[in-house]
Amino acid sequence: MYHPRNADGSVGRKIFNEAEVVETLLKLFPSANIQPILMEALPMKFQLEISSQTDLLIGMHGAGMTHIAFLPKHAAVLELFPKGFKLYRAHSMCFQSLTMWRGMHYDSWENMDANLELPHDYTIVPTDVIAKKTLKLVEQICLKKLQYSSFIKFC
């Protein structure tokens, strides 16, 4: 939670409607294990165990996305960005690059609507966007399933 630009330890770039996003995903994939997790609240051992068993990582751009390095080789990533975040930030592509280097599928969404940005670094993420992008990534994961022996519950 500490970053030189963030000495007070506050978390930036948050999903305002996280419960609604999770509900949407549970409806799409009723047999999947879908959980919102605050990784920094867990010991590193548990963070690594969770990452190593995650088929699809969805999250706002930030340090938590480094867990890409520990995802299974069949996994996919959906990275979310608040409005204007990518502007003048060449480093905003780092997690996309890490995902691609690992040979995993990647997609992203960047907010373009100022009305979806709220005080205290919250972004409203449209559930229809999450649904569409998640369905596409799950299809790609399921195609990869044929290449690997691990079982993916939602395929």
Side-chain angles (χ1 to χ4, degrees), residues 29-45:
F29 308 103
S31 63
N33 182 6
I34 298 169
Q35 299 179 14
I37 298 173
L38 186 61
M39 290 293 227
E40 63 266 20
L42 301 173
M44 183 55 91
K45 178 182 178 191

Side-chain angles (χ1 to χ4, degrees), residues 54-68:
T54 297
D55 297 313
L56 176 58
L57 177 65
I58 301 172
M60 294 294 282
H61 174 87
M65 295 301 280
T66 58
H67 286 278
I68 291 167

